[in-house]
Amino acid sequence: MDCSYKKIKDQLLSDIIPVNDRDLNEQTIRQRLLTRPRSEPSFSIDPEPNNYQRHLSASNLYDQADDLIDTVLEVPTKCVEQAKEVGKRVVQYVVDHSHLPQWLLDNEFLISGHRPPMPSFKKCFASIFRLHTETVNIWTHLLGTLFFIITAIYFISRPSSEVHIEKKLIFGAFFLGAILCLLCSTLYHTLYCHSPKISKFFSKLDYCGIAFLIIGSIIPLLYYQFYCEFGTKVAYLTFIGVLGIGCIVVSMWDKFSSAHYRIYRALLFITFGVFGFIPSCHYMIQFGVEHAFKVGAIQYLLLVAALYLIGACLYAARIPERLAPGLFDIWFQSHQLFHVFVVVAACVHYYGICVLSHNQTTVFGDCRNILSSNTVPIASIIS
């Protein structure tokens, strides 16, 4: 680096200093000036009166050129040094998959960009603002959490004349499930590199949050789809509650959070979601397909189910990183896509239950209208 710097500097000086003065350095000029008799006037004794002035001018020019070149070349040199320092910090901050300890190994198709063990809560939370394999996972669900918190506050704070307290409680169950799910996921992806103990604890909370989201999503559906059938609502709510508790119990099992059980985790919650769809199938059979789509907002529920299913399948199969290991280490990996599908599905579900609630008030009216002869009978669906 020093040799290159000197070569560049000498080349620039040779271009700036006049040709006749290239062999004249500062030391030679000063020596000649000092050996010149001070008492002799330059205009009468000096046979070449302009030589010293020329030498002095060349010396000043050399000094100025030297300072200017140092100043100009100093900027890129400092930039290179700073870039090297930043590069060292980045390299030290993230590691390859092969350098991770056993308890941090999860997806072997993500080759680089992993956070090493960080036994400090402060450093873990500071890593939210740095780029690594978990950055997008953190921010997708963090922004989703903030969105549903703000929406819940707005919805619940509306006056009772606009939104009845009963409706606030029903929607509150959904908001609570969505917020707990997304918040637990955010905390897990932020803190899982802290230590094995913290990683296991927040991994369990992450899976419990999924169960909370499913339960919270089904409550509004049961309430409005079987608005006048109290026994049916209680039966389905009990059934879903037992399944949800079962998922939470299994999620608290240490072995269940290991990478080996990735597919089983996905299948468990897919099964839970499918069972959660049974009440809606019952609703379509009882009131008719046309009624279910026009009034019951079943189309939104089907879209939600498709989004969850696609996201879970991508997560279980680890696509697309399986197809090109190392290419999706930071962006567009399967877990990130799964997070996006979850947030979008939760938003669609919220809109769907808003439509269902509105229809219950404006179309359903009282229970006699819901069970009127205008609905399609079961026999017509079977035939």
Side-chain angles (χ1 to χ4, degrees), residues 151-379:
T151 305
I153 293 174
Y154 169 76
F155 189 90
I156 297 174
S157 63
R158 293 171 66 184
S160 299
S161 58
E162 296 181 14
V163 181
H164 194 269
I165 184 65
E166 190 176 282
K167 185 175 181 179
K168 292 180 180 180
L169 292 175
I170 297 301
F171 274 75
F174 166 75
F175 288 131
L176 181 62
I179 292 170
L180 287 177
C181 175
L182 299 177
L183 179 60
C184 289
S185 175
T186 301
L187 292 175
Y188 166 68
H189 287 284
T190 302
L191 299 172
Y192 91 100
C193 63
H194 181 279
S195 62
K197 183 178 179 180
I198 295 298
S199 178
K200 285 183 179 180
F201 176 74
F202 281 97
S203 175
K204 296 173 184 178
L205 287 185
D206 187 21
Y207 294 117
C208 290
I210 299 175
F212 291 141
L213 174 61
I214 296 175
I215 296 173
S217 299
I218 292 175
I219 289 176
L221 294 177
L222 291 176
Y223 180 80
Y224 289 113
Q225 288 177 346
F226 302 96
Y227 188 73
C228 297
E229 301 178 37
F230 180 77
T232 305
K233 283 190 290 190
V234 172
Y236 275 129
L237 187 59
T238 303
F239 176 67
I240 297 301
V242 170
L243 285 177
I245 293 173
C247 284
I248 292 173
V249 170
V250 173
S251 299
M252 297 302 290
W253 183 29
D254 289 341
K255 227 177 207 184
F256 187 72
S257 60
S258 64
H260 179 70
Y261 286 85
R262 172 188 294 271
I263 295 178
Y264 300 101
R265 289 196 298 264
L267 289 176
L268 175 65
F269 290 102
I270 288 174
T271 303
F272 187 20
V274 169
F275 275 104
F277 193 71
I278 290 177
S280 296
C281 294
H282 179 185
Y283 175 80
M284 286 190 289
I285 293 175
Q286 181 174 354
F287 296 102
V289 175
E290 184 179 357
H291 176 88
F293 276 89
K294 287 185 176 180
V295 180
I298 289 294
Q299 62 272 26
Y300 299 107
L301 183 60
L302 293 175
L303 178 57
V304 168
L307 290 171
Y308 282 136
L309 184 62
I310 294 172
C313 290
L314 291 175
Y315 167 75
R318 286 181 283 191
I319 294 174
E321 63 268 19
R322 177 187 291 274
L323 305 177
L327 183 61
F328 302 96
D329 292 347
I330 306 299
W331 307 101
F332 304 109
Q333 57 184 257
S334 61
H335 208 124
Q336 297 170 359
L337 298 178
F338 175 56
H339 277 207
V340 173
F341 277 109
V342 168
V343 175
V344 173
C347 293
V348 173
H349 190 91
Y350 171 63
Y351 182 79
I353 59 177
C354 286
V355 173
L356 183 61
S357 171
H358 177 267
N359 291 341
Q360 188 275 327
T361 303
T362 59
V363 179
F364 293 168
D366 57 26
C367 296
R368 287 175 298 179
N369 291 335
I370 296 178
L371 300 176
S372 66
S373 59
N374 292 331
T375 58
V376 181
I378 300 177

